[in-house]
Amino acid sequence: MTRVPPISCPSLAETIPMPEQGRADAYGGLVAEVGVYDNPSAQEQGVMGLNVTEANTLIVGAPQSGKTNLLQTVICSLAMKYSADQVNFYLIDFGSLVLKNYEGLDHVGGVVLPDEDEKVKNLFRMLNQEVAERKRRFAGEGVSSFASRLEAGLGGVPQIVVVIDNFTAFRETYLMENDILLPLLRDGLSVGISFAIASSQTSGIGYRYLSFIGERVAFRCNDTSDLNMLFGSFRGMPQQIPGRAYISKDNGILETQVYLSSEGEREIDRTESIQQFVSRMCALGDGVRAPGIPEVPEVVTQAYVYDHFGIEIAQDAKFDVDGLFHMD
């Protein structure tokens, strides 16, 4: 007897472990596979992807709703699909500090924590220099954007993804007097620099940021106005299930269950799972690492000066208080 097909797809599972993802072609942009969406109107379910080449991403939700897990899922998916010479991460963790666990990943150029003021300044100085250098390089190559380079099959320039967890704390510390983020949101996408930002609320973000953010994700929020800010006039709220979110896609809003980035009941188990992932990815790599955030080391050696400035100095050279080396 032939069974009548169901009139709707089954409900999304409440927990979906992150599947293995093989290497992918970067043509068309780098896409992070982050979960499974449900589209009832089309009776369709499928893999939800976030194209980090095409758009900046904003993630909003109440505490413990799944924001940090989604950031981790973006990192893990892109690290599995693309090599360290195709995508680099710079992680700003003002939240749970769990992103610190990814510091050993070849794709990660550095992790910035709340008390590292100089590191924040150096990172944004480096990013602005990268924007200027890439614009000059692309002009010389005859292409107008990073996406055009990918379509032309040109390599040698990785996608840069800057991840910010707990935007509210970051904004209060660094953006109140001098907004170092907005110019990069505006100019970065065209040269292959994108942002994935997580915040507990939309207040303080405003339309000046939203106008440069194409991918919008809402977990369960404390205030329905947050969803209206993200999606316009919108009624509804994701179910109170960790990892359940609404994501704007193809002029629609789809319910999505985000993959669980690391497994384990206890935090220590999840941390061990992350460390195992990092070790596995490094073992599969070819030794290429993302450029580090520029820092002045506690001890300036001859090797450091040569590596960073191309200057050879004598063994008995010393440095004065202004950072200039001299001979006795």
Side-chain angles (χ1 to χ4, degrees):
M1 185 175 72
T2 303
R3 296 182 65 87
V4 177
I7 61 174
S8 63
C9 297
S11 300
L12 292 172
E14 295 188 5
T15 302
I16 305 177
M18 188 166 189
E20 285 295 320
Q21 300 173 27
R23 293 297 193 196
D25 191 341
Y27 183 86
L30 281 68
V31 178
E33 298 176 12
V34 298
V36 176
Y37 70 81
D38 184 25
N39 187 357
S41 62
Q43 296 189 31
E44 175 189 51
Q45 292 181 345
V47 175
M48 173 60 73
L50 299 177
N51 191 319
V52 298
T53 300
E54 292 183 348
N56 297 305
T57 302
L58 176 62
I59 304 161
V60 176
Q64 306 301 314
S65 59
K67 301 186 300 297
T68 300
N69 176 69
L70 176 52
L71 293 177
Q72 293 176 260
T73 302
V74 169
I75 295 168
C76 291
S77 175
L78 293 177
M80 282 191 281
K81 295 177 66 177
Y82 310 101
S83 63
D85 57 2
Q86 292 177 297
V87 60
N88 297 163
F89 297 102
Y90 296 92
L91 314 179
I92 301 175
D93 193 344
F94 279 44
S96 63
L97 307 187
V98 69
L99 299 183
K100 181 73 173 175
N101 293 310
Y102 294 93
E103 191 169 34
L105 197 64
D106 288 341
H107 303 69
V108 175
V111 181
V112 181
L113 304 181
D115 58 346
E116 298 180 315
D117 292 2
E118 196 63 31
K119 206 170 183 181
V120 170
K121 295 174 184 176
N122 290 342
L123 171 59
F124 277 81
R125 187 181 299 115
M126 181 188 77
L127 292 173
N128 280 301
Q129 291 172 349
E130 190 70 20
V131 169
E133 291 172 4
R134 290 188 177 197
K135 284 182 177 180
R136 287 193 294 269
R137 176 169 181 165
F138 293 1
E141 293 173 337
V143 294
S144 60
S145 67
F146 183 79
S148 298
R149 290 188 89 257
L150 294 179
E151 291 175 358
L154 300 176
V157 178
Q159 173 79 46
I160 293 176
V161 182
V162 183
V163 174
I164 304 177
D165 195 9
N166 193 356
F167 174 77
T168 301
F170 178 74
R171 171 179 171 270
E172 291 174 353
T173 306
Y174 293 104
L175 306 183
M176 301 303 289
E177 296 183 1
N178 179 25
D179 196 335
I180 57 177
L181 175 60
L182 189 61
L184 286 168
L185 283 175
R186 181 189 63 223
D187 300 333
L189 275 180
S190 64
V191 295
I193 300 175
S194 62
F195 287 78
I197 301 169
S199 177
S200 59
Q201 55 193 9
T202 57
S203 62
I205 295 175
Y207 291 105
R208 61 177 185 161
Y209 287 108
L210 288 176
S211 61
F212 300 112
I213 293 174
E215 299 278 16
R216 304 179 184 187
V217 182
F219 291 94
R220 187 166 188 85
C221 300
N222 292 326
D223 191 336
T224 55
S225 64
D226 288 325
L227 277 80
N228 291 330
M229 176 72 95
L230 292 178
F231 304 131
S233 180
F234 179 76
R235 292 184 179 182
M237 183 71 73
Q239 298 180 56
Q240 199 163 357
I241 298 171
R244 189 62 56 88
Y246 287 144
I247 299 181
S248 58
K249 185 63 67 175
D250 299 329
N251 298 319
I253 301 170
L254 300 179
E255 187 177 36
T256 302
Q257 182 63 36
V258 175
Y259 293 139
L260 192 61
S261 61
S262 56
E263 298 188 59
E265 292 293 329
R266 302 175 300 170
E267 182 176 359
I268 190 171
D269 297 327
R270 293 190 291 274
T271 298
E272 183 178 352
S273 176
I274 295 171
Q275 293 170 346
Q276 291 174 353
F277 172 81
V278 170
S279 297
R280 183 160 54 88
M281 289 297 101
C282 289
L284 294 175
D286 54 7
V288 175
R289 284 195 62 87
I293 300 172
E295 291 184 89
V296 177
E298 294 182 5
V299 178
V300 179
T301 65
Q302 284 87 352
Y304 176 87
V305 173
Y306 181 78
D307 290 342
H308 288 76
F309 306 105
I311 300 173
E312 292 187 4
I313 59 176
Q315 290 292 324
D316 56 349
K318 296 182 180 179
F319 291 82
D320 61 24
V321 293
D322 295 319
L324 302 174
F325 62 85
H326 60 89
M327 300 293 291
D328 284 341

